[in-house]
Amino acid sequence: MKHSSARESREEVRRWIDLVYPPRCAVCERFLQPGEARGICPGCRDGLKEAGPPLCPCCGVPFEAGTGENRLCERCLRERPAYEAARSLFVYEGAALEAVHRFKYGGKTRLAKIFGPRLAGLARTWLPPDVQPLVVPVPLHLRRLRERGFNQSLLLARHVAAQPGCALDFLALRRNRYTPPQAALGRDERRGNVQAAFEVETPAAVQDRDILLVDDVSTTGSTLDACSRALLRAGARRIFGLTLARAPAP
Ligand SMILES: [Zn+2]
Ligand SMILES: [Zn+2]
């Protein structure tokens, strides 16, 4: 009895809050209709395309065609990345692109609460059962962290690391160079841009550990690759990559 009355009064408070601050979609900011689930409106939810198969089993890039078997992409055929494998939740287009922009540049940290648990779910189903990873968010340069006020990858990584068998380390890896935004660069420039940008601060923390790198977006996989190289040099065992969104294969 006591239980249900506490719940009722919580719901009552929520109804009042909703009257004063009607809930909006975290992506497009449209007002949500009464009875609609909180978080994301149905339109934006439909606009999120999962980065499912067919995809490259190594870097996780989804193929546009949407049919056929998983197969190695051209890039991985030519040169395998330093990480074992990577996966993403969404294709980086449409509502996912909008969501990431709001998350990163609009300071909508609430999106981590919405997408973090889903990213954790993907990690749980995808990672081999023997992997008990140290979850490492891709770091921002200190200057960018000061500008933005938060590291979007860390906000996501916290949810992933909250699972049994996982641990979080957001200090092990450091970004040394203040690099221009990746979106402004071509593929080769992008790669040159991130190589040697990362350094492991505390090698003992990653020694012989399986690492799960977490980032918001992966465009070509070059950031994950550069982080992986630094971690392997420092003695890490295997590296896996997990991102919220991934650009489709060109
Ligand atoms: Zn929306
Ligand atoms: Zn690939």
Side-chain angles (χ1 to χ4, degrees):
M1 247 348 243
K2 224 174 169 186
H3 237 81
S4 80
S5 71
R7 198 178 59 225
E8 274 163 22
S9 55
R10 261 202 310 276
E11 279 169 7
E12 183 67 25
V13 168
R14 171 162 273 190
R15 270 197 294 277
W16 277 102
I17 292 173
D18 284 0
L19 271 177
V20 185
Y21 303 104
R24 289 169 180 261
C25 168
V27 178
C28 72
E29 299 204 317
R30 180 175 81 67
F31 286 113
L32 296 171
Q33 299 302 311
E36 268 178 7
R38 273 152 194 279
I40 304 179
C41 77
C44 288
R45 214 174 305 130
D46 288 348
L48 291 168
K49 194 165 135 199
E50 284 191 17
L55 46 74
C56 170
C58 179
C59 71
V61 66
F63 296 113
E64 285 273 32
T67 54
E69 307 266 291
N70 288 350
R71 60 189 184 277
L72 283 175
C73 73
E74 233 183 281
R75 278 171 66 93
C76 292
L77 272 173
R78 251 186 270 131
E79 191 189 351
R80 293 295 282 261
Y83 52 81
E84 299 286 315
R87 285 293 181 281
S88 307
L89 199 52
F90 302 118
V91 181
Y92 191 42
E93 58 184 29
L97 197 129
E98 181 73 12
V100 167
H101 276 240
R102 296 220 170 229
F103 185 24
K104 245 166 133 159
Y105 309 114
K108 296 276 174 205
T109 52
R110 180 183 155 208
L111 283 164
K113 272 194 200 141
I114 297 169
F115 293 127
R118 290 189 63 178
L119 204 56
L122 175 62
R124 201 162 47 235
T125 53
W126 163 61
L127 283 178
D130 68 315
V131 176
Q132 302 220 316
L134 187 65
V135 179
V136 174
V138 170
L140 292 178
H141 188 272
L142 201 57
R143 189 172 136 195
R144 172 122 28 234
L145 184 62
R146 284 200 196 108
E147 287 165 0
R148 194 171 292 161
F150 63 96
N151 177 0
Q152 68 282 358
S153 305
L154 171 58
L155 297 184
L156 292 169
R158 283 192 195 284
H159 289 272
V160 179
Q163 298 180 97
C166 296
L168 178 70
D169 192 331
F170 55 90
L171 296 173
L173 195 61
R174 191 177 59 184
R175 192 188 286 248
N176 286 325
R177 293 215 316 237
Y178 184 78
T179 49
Q182 295 285 57
L185 302 172
R187 186 212 273 180
D188 289 340
E189 277 180 298
R190 197 173 280 165
R191 199 168 157 185
N193 185 26
V194 292
Q195 288 294 330
F198 297 96
E199 197 180 38
V200 173
E201 186 110 50
T202 46
V206 303
Q207 189 88 47
D208 297 321
R209 291 295 307 258
D210 285 330
I211 308 286
L212 179 59
L213 279 167
V214 175
D215 206 357
D216 55 346
V217 181
S218 169
T219 312
T220 61
S222 55
T223 301
L224 289 180
D225 190 55
C227 291
S228 302
R229 283 174 202 279
L231 287 160
L232 289 170
R233 271 199 307 273
R237 196 154 79 103
R238 292 178 293 183
I239 320 289
F240 299 86
L242 187 67
T243 69
L244 183 58
R246 169 76 209 228

